[in-house]
Amino acid sequence: MKATLPSVLLLLTTLGFSTGCGASAYSATGGSHFELDRGKEVDDEDILKAFQAAPQLGESSRVAFYTFDDKKAPDVERMLGAVPHVKSTYHIPELLVSGSRRYQEPRAAGEISVKKLRLLAARAGADVLVIVDYGYKGGSANGLAAFNMLLVPALFVPFLDNRTESYAQAWALDVRNGYFYGDASADAKSGSAFVNIYADGPDALFAADWPKLLSTLQTKLTARLAPSKATVARAATATATTAPATIGAPADATNPAPAATP
């Protein structure tokens, strides 16, 4: 079948969108339903326990973390490992949460239970649970697309908009009692309203912004996971009052200690 000019232009535009600047949106949750606490699990006793919960952070904490997909887990693990007062990290794999296996077809979206994540973190011996989410959106055509009546202008006219908004967010909770230490969020914007088909698309722009998003999360989580002043003071007092180890046999009636030299 002979290609017509409109079909060539349509193909060119589609190619431009798919290779560099196409409309795109990505969510790490993959459509999974996530709430900090599921409504059907909450009762008056849970609310009372939430009021009674107190922070349990010590001088150092073991952190278990979960991301809604495993692709960014190594980056998140390095980021958390660089947070002061974090002694160790453990990545809760997607297999244990959703049952998804490597190389498996995408599963239907399900609910993510924080209680289950806390249980998995406890089994790993963690003190703190960190849940990390991220995503981005952007990419479209702008008003200059109307000038793409010929093939050559379509190759050079900046008729695409590759402005991209991205975010990363983390929630930190105590594994033992569910105390909410707080959240940390970071946002970034990149791109331009007028670019040609050779410019980077939302995927590439998000990849460039990802290290900055992680850096902001690390700074904010440093404040969230820092031990309280009271904890630091107690640790210092305990260290100062610890008696040094006695060297040699203890003094008794049959083996008196030597008298002090005046």
Side-chain angles (χ1 to χ4, degrees), residues 78-79 82-84 213-223:
R78 284 190 293 269
M79 180 272 290
V83 173
L213 295 172
L214 279 183
S215 178
T216 301
L217 283 191
Q218 178 183 329
T219 299
K220 293 185 176 181
L221 285 174
T222 295

Side-chain angles (χ1 to χ4, degrees), residues 104-127:
Q104 184 178 3
E105 291 296 322
R107 298 172 63 92
E111 293 187 358
I112 304 298
S113 169
V114 174
K115 288 188 175 181
K116 181 177 181 179
L117 292 178
R118 284 176 56 198
L119 176 60
L120 293 172
R123 286 174 175 167
D127 306 300

Side-chain angles (χ1 to χ4, degrees), residues 27-38:
S27 174
T29 60
S32 297
H33 179 66
F34 169 70
E35 292 180 0
L36 196 58
D37 290 293
R38 296 168 60 190

Side-chain angles (χ1 to χ4, degrees), residues 39-216:
K40 61 185 179 183
E41 294 180 347
V42 177
D43 55 24
D44 290 344
E45 184 178 356
D46 291 319
I47 295 172
L48 179 60
K49 288 180 179 179
F51 274 110
Q52 294 174 340
Q56 305 289 312
L57 292 175
E59 272 292 289
S60 61
S61 301
R62 294 160 295 187
V63 174
F65 72 95
Y66 178 71
T67 61
F68 290 95
D69 66 45
D70 288 345
K71 289 185 293 185
K72 299 295 187 184
D75 296 336
V76 173
E77 188 159 19
R78 284 190 293 269
M79 180 272 290
L80 289 173
V83 173
H85 305 290
V86 171
K87 178 166 57 177
S88 63
T89 59
Y90 168 69
H91 170 220
I92 301 175
E94 191 175 1
L95 173 65
L96 297 182
V97 179
S98 65
S100 296
R101 302 164 62 187
R102 288 189 184 184
Y103 316 129
Q104 184 178 3
E105 291 296 322
R107 298 172 63 92
E111 293 187 358
I112 304 298
S113 169
V114 174
K115 288 188 175 181
K116 181 177 181 179
L117 292 178
R118 284 176 56 198
L119 176 60
L120 293 172
R123 286 174 175 167
D127 306 300
V128 177
L129 169 66
V130 175
I131 304 169
V132 179
D133 182 33
Y134 61 90
Y136 60 91
K137 65 176 182 178
S140 63
N142 58 41
L144 295 182
F147 291 93
N148 292 341
M149 300 300 295
L150 300 174
L151 178 61
V152 173
L155 292 173
F156 300 102
V157 170
F159 68 94
L160 295 174
D161 180 343
N162 72 344
R163 287 177 295 182
T164 300
E165 298 180 12
S166 56
Y167 75 91
Q169 194 163 12
W171 296 266
L173 304 98
D174 193 272
V175 173
R176 293 174 176 83
N177 60 16
Y179 182 86
F180 183 48
Y181 291 113
D183 65 349
S185 61
D187 298 274
K189 293 183 179 181
S190 300
S192 171
F194 298 94
V195 296
N196 57 32
I197 62 173
Y198 309 107
D200 289 333
D203 295 349
L205 293 176
F206 169 73
D209 285 334
W210 175 241
K212 294 182 288 185
L213 295 172
L214 279 183
S215 178
T216 301

